[in-house]
Structures are given as structure tokens and as C-alpha cells.
Amino acid sequence: MNIRNIDPDTQATRAAPLAAPSLNVVVRDFETGNPVIEGIAERGSLVTIKNLHQGITLGSVVASELDGSWSFTIESKLRVSGLHQADGSASAANGVYSLLPLTEAMRLRESFGSEFSSSGHTVLDTAKASYKMNSHGQTWYVWAQLDGGYLISRTSGEDEWYQERSQQAVRLPEWLSDQWGWDGRTHPDDIVVTSATTPAASHRWMAGTPEIRSWNGIDLSNLTQRITVEQTDKAGRRSDINMDYVVITNVTPYILDLDAYREGTQTLLETTARPDDLKHGTSFIADLDRSIVGNGIDVTSMNVTLSGDDLNLTGDKLLLDEALNLDKDLPWVYDRTVGGVNGVDYTYDSNTRTLRLERTHQPIIGSAFYGNSAEKVIESLRLQNADGTPGKRSISITMEDSPASTATLIIAAPGARDDLPLVTATLLPQYIPAYRMIELGDVLGAKNSHNLGKGESISLSLPGTMNAKQFLGALKGMSMEWGGLGITGQANTTSAQYKSFMKFDHTLSAGEKFSVAHQGGTHVKGAVLSFATVDEGRKLSLTHHDGFYDKGDVYALAGDAAASSGHYDIGHLRLLYQSATVNAHSDKPTISLRLDGGKMAVGDVVSLHEGDRMVASKTITAADFSGPDAAMLLTLTEALSSGHHRLTSQYTTTAGEVRVGHGVDITVASAPALTDLKIASPNSDTAAQTLNESSTRYASVSDAGTPWITGNYDRGLVFSGKVGTAGSTDQYLISVSMGGKVLAFDTVAAGDFSLASAANLLAPGYYDDLSISATNISSGEGNGLSTTVQGLKLGHYWAAQSLGDTRGGHGNDNFLLGATKNGLNTLIQTNGGDDTLTLGAFGKKGNFAATVTDFTAGADKIAVFGKSIDLGNLSQFVKEVAPIQGGNGTKVVVDLDGAAAGNQTYTLHLQNVAYQPANTHTLFGV
């Protein structure tokens, strides 16, 4: 941040008994980014500093008793409030942030984790304001991605971060419109892992619409600030004010970084060009979209100087829009197009071997290379030698701004080499992170063998050679049925319709208690369990400590549950754990390569090929020289198709010479086929809907509850599909995840499958992270291989007992609006599509209300559950229509009973529907 004084003369002050203190705007330390103001006042007087632009008092200081001098640093801060986590609790990211100094922003430029970028390479945009907050031992940042929107996160931490939903290209976070809101994000450990190095798809939730405001300091959203000072002496007399102006400019000079992927700024780099590349013209910098750092100060001109002992003035040429001879002067040429940039003028001096480039060269007015035009010009420059003559050439690029930025690139084109190393290749066995399931059988409790009741324990048979600690570390989830006298009314039974699925987000400790629960009508019923080690840690036991219940829905359970005097037993217990499966038939195999280290050279390439296609490669670096025999591993990043493959190793020098090495034969087993995926409600006869990745034509399920009681749920969604080849003997573990939770898992045979989830695990709304996975658990070539279909979209709308803020997708959704958590402060966001807002009591008493933020008249409509509305009976349902927000919005009060007996009402505030009472019928689609 640069701060400059644009009005050094202070305003004249009226005559007063006490003179206003003097005021100067200074920057003692440029790197701090915060302005310092100082001056002289009466000795010992209190100097008060205010920001007239924001209308706030910034602070006060006491002038020196010795000479009356005073000094005050104005810190720019940002307050973030209103963010919440997926469970609705307040986020630790809320608080007051301080502006980052430029030096710290530059240092953090590539310090953020790959989870924050779809490309896997995250870069902080130093051209935008960044802020930092230390809270509870953690450091949070408000920052913007290069070519992206703002985020709130730590430098790493997949468990919680926030992304501004609109992804607007704004320079300051406080410029973001409040209506867009933010999405919470996390990358949970998914139940099925397709690759040990591939992160799971991110889970997203609507994290609210936080307030982001400038706080107690400089408001960066307004460039001009009016700062005033006044003093109060020891006698209590107050002076007139003194005022000055400062301008805030968040600009940094351009810096040319020759290797953006290395830490720091690389201004000297040696790279190698193949002879063939040199013949056609080799570029200077390979990754120009990340090579120029900085903003704001446009490049006025650029100089490109060539040197080096091997520079051939007659054979080498510099390619711009045309070839430039290095042994001849070139006078100014004007208005050329170089690298797609118009209006470029340039000249070449053969004595200094310097090319100078400017924009719109005119005697009086000059222009600059603004934006990314400097990048485009540099990217287009090529060095050419028609014969591919080897040798080193040095190219120095200077960008003249303030200050100038210079970078030097050395292009080396080596000559031919003899006696290239021979590469040998060996296929390594693959350790696949596969999932397995243990069923605890039908002998559980001492009193009722089918059930495990309060106070009872069962010993577990652990798989393979695992001990208790190892198994707890591998445990990822569990499922169960519920029964007993308090659930089914019979002591030694459980019911398949009452299920729980639990995902463990951390490794359990022996003795650590945890809760599992299911939906039972209007109540959550559950149990407190724990695992314990027995037989000196060689075995494990599971204990049922107590039952509990709470009124509400499972997804909203906060842990304030009451103990149960009833019998909440569990049965049909299944434990999901992860183990490493050895499989030599992986579609992404790892190959061990060995070669003579004495014959290698830095810059050469070792690669694997299938026919003419290169499938993996590694460029040799100094770190690869570990002894006379060099060894390295290559893992294929793109999957091979099922069947037989022959991979051949190859060594290629920087000059393009090739020696073909040994090959390896691989037979790839087929990953499970996972097709015909569908979703259905257990409470409806409507045909199952096909699941897909469309953001506008996704499956959308609207479930009003059991046929006998609306708003009552005891079973969850039903997922179905086909896996493997029907008729085969293969067995598969199918798992379903969404919204950061496991919805269902079970073992199935090849062919058609159907999995029922538990009820009310997730809040109503739209989800874009539904994934279904299949893992082959049969012995043979396919053992451990998995297929995951992820990124599926689903709208799931049901009548929660206390509905919170709800967001729909861009398709056609049917929202079920019953009792709400916060009345009119409950926000419903429909997004696009033709949506229906179905109002109903759904078994609850009272009058309800909600606010719809984006109702679209003519596309969206209001309906009443179980009722048919037309023009003839509309007046029986509409009790009131009134303006809100000065007529920019509409209030609608709906009688849920219509002409029938009863007087329950539902009040909707349609924020963006202008009040037009004559068009009320259109709100109901009639």
C-alpha cells in the first residue's frame, strides 16, 4: 500500500484561545501498509484523531510533556460477523481482521493449500486487500485468489473454509454485495477413496450472509480520506480542528518472476531448449500467466537485451511479429501487433543488442503496457536459430516502471551425447486403500441376544492381524438398526425402518464415548456408546451405556438430550473400516526404474510409453544423483483401460536423443461398473428419478412424510442402481455420501442394488456433492478396485420440525415450508428454475412465517399442501396482501385451511416482488 499526501496545506483555522495541533501525514515504514500521522500540540494535551469519511473517532494520544510532539498509526481493520458452520454454530472465522502489509502478502502468495483451488495451485492475489486475524491459536485470513473471488480460511485446513458465492472480481471484500452470501466448504475423508493422492470432492453448505465492514480505521473502499485532529489541554479547553487529506492506493510495482512455482522471486534462470525447438523458435518463459507479479503501476516500456559467448548475430534471430536480424539496426517501427497487443512500437540497436518496446509512440503523449499486455508481449517473443546450433544465449528483460524490474534468462542448447543410460523397469505391487465391513452377527446382548441393550457389552472379532488400536485407527463408520421395547414394542427385535449411519471424523480413542441417533416421529432417539480395549490391547469391545431422546430432527441434534428411561436397543451392527489391499492390476500402476547414475544429466527426461503415447515422465534434477545406480518411481496419472498393456521405458536427452529401455507387461482389472443410479422417497409411489450432474435438470425429491402422518419420518431416501456384471459372483461394498455425512452403506451382489438411508440426516435443501461409490470386495484381480460417481446434484425437501435458512438449486424444486426456526428471519433462497413453495402445517400447530429472497413472479408459485387453488377459491386462501420495503416487496398471508374449519396462517415476505395487489393471483400460478 502506498500513501501519499495530496493536500499538504492544512485548512486555515479560526482564531481560538487554543490553536489546533499541527498535522502531517507520513509513512515511517512503507512495509506496514498503514499511515502514520504526527504533529505538535500543547505539551501534555489530549490529541483526538477522527476519520470524517467514516464518521468515527480513530483514537487519541497524549502529546509529549517535553516538546508537545505526538504520533498516531491508523490501522485498517475489517470486521467479519455472521458466518456459521455446517451444524449452524458460529464460526471461529468471525472477528476483527487487520490489513496485511505488502511484504507479508507477498510472502504468503503461494502459501495457501491446494484445496482452495480447482487447479490444485493456489495463488494469493497481491493486487487485492488481504487481512489477518489471530484467534484461539489459529490464524485466519480474508484473501482473494488470483483470477478468483474472496475466501476466508487458514493457510491450510480442509475441515472449514469459506468461499464468496458470486466470485465477483472486486478489489476489496467489503465491496461484496450482502445478497450473495458465502458458502462453507470442507474436504472430508470420504468413505470411498478412488486414489490415495486424490482429495475427496468438497462438501459445501450455505454459511450465511456475513457482514464484512471496515472497522476502526482506514476504509480502503474509499480512496480519499479526510483525517481531522483536535486537542484538549489540561485545563479542558478544546481547540479548532485541523484537517488533511490522504489517498490510499493499493498498488505494487511489477516484478518479473521467471519461475512462479519456486519460492521467492526468480530473476535468473537457466533453461534448456531442444535443437528442434530452437530451429522453430523457443519461448523465453513457459508459464507467463503466473510470471508477472504486481498491479497498478503500468509498464511504460520494456528492453530486451541479448548476450552470451554463443550468441550468433547472423544465425540467431529474435521473433516478434516478424523476424528481427541481430546484426542490423532497426529504426522505430510503429503501431505493430505483438502477441495480440495492438499499438506496439519498437526499435533495435545492434551495438547494444537491445530491443526497446513501447506503446503508441508519439512526440507528446505516451501510453503503457497495462493489465496483462506486458505478459502477452513477453510470451510472444522467441529466439530462433535455423540450424539449431547449440550453445548458451542470455536474454535480459527489463520492465521500466517505478522501480524497474529486470530478469535474465539463459537458454542452453547442448550438443549431442554418446553412451546414454539404459533404463530397466519393474512393476510394483499397489497398496489400494480399500474398505471392508464387519457384521457383528445376531448374538449381541446377554438378556436379549438379538439386541445390545443399556449396560451391555460385546467383544469384537478383529480382522486379520489388526490389534485394537490399529482397528480404531482404521474405523471410518458404523450402522445399526434400532429396537427393543422403547422402539418396536418387543424386547428381542429391531426394525429395518429405524436405521442410523455414522461417520467418524476423527480416530476414536479407547473409552471415548460417542452418540448415535435415529428419527422416531417427532423425537430423536439414540444411545451413547464406546469402544474399549481388552486382553492387553489385542481385542476390542463395544459398550451400550445409555439411551437418550430429544424433540427435533436428527440433523439439528445439538447434544442437549435427556436420558431415556425406555429401552433403546441396537442390533444388526456393521462396522466400516479401511485397509490396504495389495493389487498388481491397478489402472494407475507405479513402475520402479533403475539406470546408470554416472550417465545421467540434469534436464534429461525418463519416461514411460505405451506405443506412441507417453503415459508418465520425470525430468532429472540434481536430487536424483544419489549413487552409481539411480532409482526412481513413476506413477501413471491417467488410468489405463482394462486389459493387457505393454509399457516401454525411455531416456531422452535435452538434445532430443533417445534410448529405449526395458518394458513391463501389465494386466489391468476392470473397476466396478456403476450405472443406472436413481433416487426415490420411501413415502411416495412416484417412480424413482435418475441422478445426474446437471445443475438445472437434477433429481428433486419433495417428501411430506409418512402416508399416515404428514411431517413424520422414520425412513430416509432410497438409492438404487446397477453394479458390476449381473450374474457374476463378485461382491461389492456400496456407500453413499452427501453433505459431509454417510447416508448409507452395505454389501451387495453384482447386478441391481437398493440402499435405504436413515431419516432426516441432512437439512432440507439443494446439494451438489452427492457421491456413490462401489468397491470390489471379492478375491481376484478386481479386489480393492473402486469406482466413485461424484458431483451428483440432488434437491431434497421435507417438512423439518423447525426449518432454518434453506437454499434451492437452479432447477425446478418444490419447497415444503412448515414451522420455521426464526419466523420471518428464516430466509428461503429459490435460485433459478420454476419453483413451488408449498405451505402447510405438517402436523404442527400455530401460525408460521418465512421470507423468500428471490421469488420470481410468473415462474415460481405458492401452493397449500393438500389443497387445490384456482381463481374461484383464491380469496378463501389469501387473507392479506400488503406492501413491504416501501412497496418494493410484498407481504402475503395465506389461510392454510381455506374454506375449511381452522385458522392457521402462513405469512410470506417476498422481498423482490413489487407490491401489485391486482396481480396476486399470479403468485399462486392461477
Side-chain angles (χ1 to χ4, degrees):
M1 174 183 294
N2 299 330
I3 303 178
R4 59 188 177 89
N5 190 340
I6 61 170
D7 187 2
D9 297 323
T10 58
Q11 288 188 341
T13 58
R14 299 187 304 272
L18 184 63
S22 66
L23 168 63
N24 295 306
V25 179
V26 297
V27 180
R28 287 218 179 97
D29 182 0
F30 173 77
E31 303 298 344
T32 65
N34 291 312
V36 176
I37 60 175
E38 62 182 22
I40 302 295
E42 292 289 324
R43 288 180 294 179
S45 68
L46 181 68
V47 179
T48 302
I49 302 97
K50 297 182 180 181
N51 186 334
L52 285 187
H53 167 69
Q54 290 181 281
I56 62 173
T57 298
L58 302 180
S60 59
V61 294
V62 176
S64 169
E65 291 283 1
L66 295 177
D67 57 7
S69 63
W70 60 271
S71 177
F72 185 81
T73 300
I74 306 175
E75 295 185 0
S76 178
K77 294 182 180 292
L78 195 72
R79 184 181 65 181
V80 176
S81 60
L83 281 177
H84 62 74
Q85 301 183 76
D87 61 3
S89 62
S91 170
N94 293 316
V96 178
Y97 291 69
S98 297
L99 180 70
L100 276 184
L102 175 61
T103 49
E104 187 171 356
M106 294 292 289
R107 180 180 61 79
L108 289 168
R109 186 168 173 262
E110 296 193 42
S111 299
F112 288 86
S114 59
E115 62 265 31
F116 304 126
S117 172
S118 59
S119 69
H121 186 75
T122 307
V123 181
L124 178 146
D125 190 346
T126 57
K128 298 178 180 178
S130 301
Y131 295 83
K132 179 175 74 172
M133 175 185 70
N134 294 315
S135 176
H136 302 291
Q138 296 180 333
T139 303
W140 287 85
Y141 296 90
V142 177
W143 60 285
Q145 285 199 66
L146 188 66
D147 300 324
Y150 266 93
L151 296 91
I152 301 176
S153 74
R154 292 153 289 179
T155 53
S156 63
E158 299 178 344
D159 58 316
E160 181 190 1
W161 51 286
Y162 300 89
Q163 185 175 43
E164 178 262 316
R165 190 175 305 138
S166 70
Q167 291 291 283
Q168 299 180 88
V170 298
R171 186 171 65 85
L172 299 166
E174 55 264 49
W175 285 0
L176 296 170
S177 172
D178 286 347
Q179 67 177 319
W180 292 108
W182 291 61
D183 280 333
R185 302 293 293 269
T186 180
H187 287 256
D189 293 332
D190 212 350
I191 277 297
V192 172
V193 179
T194 56
S195 167
T197 60
T198 302
S202 57
H203 158 52
R204 176 182 300 173
W205 71 90
M206 191 165 65
T209 307
E211 275 196 338
I212 301 180
R213 295 288 182 265
S214 299
W215 184 252
N216 193 30
I218 289 291
D219 178 7
L220 296 182
S221 65
N222 187 288
L223 299 182
T224 302
Q225 312 282 309
R226 288 191 295 169
I227 305 298
T228 68
V229 294
E230 62 179 344
Q231 63 173 316
T232 304
D233 65 10
K234 294 179 180 180
R237 296 181 304 162
R238 292 179 58 184
S239 73
D240 285 342
I241 66 170
N242 204 349
M243 182 173 66
D244 208 345
Y245 295 81
V246 294
V247 164
I248 313 300
T249 57
N250 191 31
V251 297
T252 59
Y254 283 114
I255 302 172
L256 185 58
D257 187 356
L258 295 178
D259 189 350
Y261 295 103
R262 290 174 59 189
E263 184 176 356
T265 301
Q266 311 303 317
T267 58
L268 179 63
L269 181 69
E270 182 170 341
T271 187
T272 303
R274 300 176 187 271
D276 283 346
D277 295 335
L278 200 55
K279 290 177 182 179
H280 297 93
T282 185
S283 61
F284 293 166
I285 303 176
D287 195 4
L288 249 291
D289 62 333
R290 297 185 187 275
S291 67
I292 295 184
V293 184
N295 72 299
I297 303 176
D298 295 323
V299 179
T300 57
S301 64
M302 292 184 289
N303 289 338
V304 179
T305 302
L306 299 101
S307 60
D309 294 338
D310 297 318
L311 183 66
N312 188 330
L313 293 180
T314 58
D316 291 346
K317 295 183 183 298
L318 192 59
L319 304 184
L320 290 85
D321 56 329
E322 60 183 42
L324 182 65
N325 295 318
L326 302 184
D327 59 344
K328 298 178 182 179
D329 288 342
L330 177 68
W332 279 103
V333 293
Y334 305 113
D335 201 21
R336 298 296 185 93
T337 300
V338 180
V341 178
N342 299 322
V344 177
D345 313 327
Y346 57 85
T347 183
Y348 175 74
D349 186 336
S350 61
N351 290 325
T352 61
R353 301 167 190 170
T354 298
L355 170 72
R356 183 174 180 83
L357 301 104
E358 296 182 358
R359 291 292 302 279
T360 58
H361 185 83
Q362 298 176 15
I364 300 175
I365 301 174
S367 185
F369 293 96
Y370 55 85
N372 65 347
S373 59
E375 297 178 2
K376 292 180 179 179
V377 170
I378 296 176
E379 186 178 27
S380 71
L381 300 180
R382 300 285 192 275
L383 181 69
Q384 182 190 54
N385 183 287
D387 299 324
T389 304
K392 289 187 177 181
R393 287 87 159 169
S394 180
I395 297 97
S396 181
I397 305 169
T398 301
M399 296 189 300
E400 294 185 358
D401 42 45
S402 179
S405 176
T406 302
T408 300
L409 180 74
I410 301 174
I411 298 180
R417 286 170 34 206
D418 298 325
D419 194 21
L420 303 183
L422 177 67
V423 183
T424 61
T426 305
L427 174 65
L428 293 183
Q430 295 292 100
Y431 290 88
I432 301 175
Y435 285 83
R436 297 288 186 262
M437 190 178 78
I438 295 178
E439 296 196 50
L440 300 192
D442 203 37
V443 180
L444 301 176
K447 185 176 182 180
N448 299 297
S449 62
H450 180 75
N451 296 8
L452 188 68
K454 176 180 178 180
E456 294 183 324
S457 300
I458 180 176
S459 180
L460 309 182
S461 297
L462 300 181
T465 60
M466 281 188 175
N467 59 32
K469 184 176 181 180
Q470 291 170 335
F471 183 78
L472 284 177
L475 185 63
K476 299 300 179 183
M478 70 184 301
S479 70
M480 64 204 66
E481 293 178 357
W482 294 83
L485 292 174
I487 305 294
T488 61
Q490 299 182 20
N492 199 35
T493 62
T494 60
S495 173
Q497 75 181 38
Y498 299 118
K499 292 184 177 181
S500 286
F501 291 92
M502 176 148 188
K503 175 185 175 183
F504 296 113
D505 295 319
H506 68 283
T507 299
L508 293 176
S509 302
E512 178 182 349
K513 292 183 180 181
F514 59 94
S515 299
V516 291
H518 74 284
Q519 194 73 40
T522 59
H523 283 75
V524 176
K525 300 177 181 179
V528 178
L529 311 177
S530 72
F531 290 98
T533 58
V534 294
D535 192 13
E536 296 181 345
R538 287 186 289 269
K539 294 183 180 180
L540 200 64
S541 67
L542 174 66
T543 299
H544 183 320
H545 293 281
D546 198 1
F548 65 85
Y549 69 95
D550 192 21
K551 187 173 180 61
D553 296 317
V554 169
Y555 82 91
L557 181 65
D560 298 325
S564 168
S565 59
H567 298 278
Y568 296 169
D569 298 349
I570 56 177
H572 197 192
L573 293 165
R574 295 170 298 171
L575 304 179
L576 186 71
Y577 69 98
Q578 185 179 31
S579 65
T581 300
V582 178
N583 190 305
H585 307 280
S586 168
D587 58 355
K588 295 181 180 178
T590 296
I591 312 298
S592 173
L593 303 178
R594 302 188 70 86
L595 61 160
D596 187 345
K599 299 178 180 180
M600 298 190 312
V602 172
D604 291 350
V605 175
V606 180
S607 55
L608 291 170
H609 299 256
E610 183 177 29
D612 296 331
R613 184 172 70 99
M614 185 171 68
V615 294
S617 67
K618 182 187 188 306
T619 300
I620 295 174
T621 67
D624 295 317
F625 291 84
S626 57
D629 290 327
M632 53 195 70
L633 301 178
L634 287 184
T635 300
L636 275 64
T637 56
E638 293 186 9
L640 297 173
S641 60
S642 59
H644 177 265
H645 296 265
R646 173 72 177 177
L647 302 184
T648 303
S649 62
Q650 181 174 298
Y651 189 95
T652 306
T653 70
T654 56
E657 300 163 288
V658 175
R659 183 173 185 181
V660 177
H662 293 172
V664 62
D665 290 293
I666 301 172
T667 300
V668 177
S670 298
L674 194 55
T675 60
D676 199 26
L677 300 176
K678 294 183 178 180
I679 184 75
S681 166
N683 300 315
S684 172
D685 295 331
T686 305
Q689 301 179 54
T690 299
L691 292 168
N692 59 56
E693 300 177 18
S694 171
S695 59
T696 58
R697 297 184 178 274
Y698 48 83
S700 186
V701 176
S702 187
D703 185 353
T706 59
W708 52 90
I709 304 178
T710 59
N712 183 79
Y713 302 88
D714 52 25
R715 293 176 294 172
L717 295 168
V718 178
F719 299 89
S720 61
K722 299 180 185 295
V723 61
T725 303
S728 77
T729 59
D730 285 346
Q731 293 284 314
Y732 300 91
L733 175 64
I734 306 294
S735 65
V736 182
S737 299
M738 187 172 75
K741 295 185 179 180
V742 176
L743 303 188
F745 66 85
D746 205 350
T747 55
V748 301
D752 294 332
F753 70 85
S754 177
L755 269 68
S757 67
N760 301 8
L761 290 178
L762 292 170
Y766 168 78
Y767 294 86
D768 61 1
D769 63 347
L770 171 62
S771 67
I772 302 178
S773 301
T775 301
N776 190 324
I777 58 174
S778 304
S779 59
E781 292 183 353
N783 182 30
L785 297 183
S786 299
T787 296
T788 299
V789 180
Q790 58 187 6
L792 299 172
K793 312 298 191 296
L794 176 64
H796 183 208
Y797 303 96
W798 53 280
Q801 297 186 66
S802 182
L803 183 68
D805 293 350
T806 304
R807 179 167 63 98
H810 292 282
N812 302 333
D813 296 312
N814 182 6
F815 294 76
L816 299 183
L817 305 185
T820 56
K821 183 178 181 180
N822 298 309
L824 285 173
N825 290 323
T826 301
L827 303 181
I828 310 299
Q829 183 180 342
T830 66
N831 285 322
D834 298 340
D835 301 313
T836 301
L837 304 176
T838 299
L839 313 179
F842 300 110
K844 306 294 186 298
K845 296 180 180 180
N847 299 322
F848 312 127
T851 294
V852 185
T853 62
D854 58 350
F855 188 93
T856 303
D860 301 336
K861 67 177 181 179
I862 302 170
V864 175
F865 181 74
K867 306 292 184 180
S868 178
I869 300 177
D870 54 33
L871 286 175
N873 64 5
L874 179 63
S875 61
Q876 297 173 357
F877 290 92
V878 179
K879 294 304 179 186
E880 180 185 352
V881 179
I884 58 174
Q885 302 170 344
N888 293 320
T890 299
K891 171 185 175 181
V892 182
V893 180
V894 179
D895 188 330
L896 298 180
D897 303 295
N903 57 0
Q904 271 191 291
T905 63
Y906 209 112
T907 300
L908 285 181
H909 278 192
L910 308 180
Q911 283 187 336
N912 64 327
V913 177
Y915 175 62
Q916 295 179 337
N919 294 332
T920 300
H921 61 285
T922 64
L923 303 180
F924 293 80
V926 298

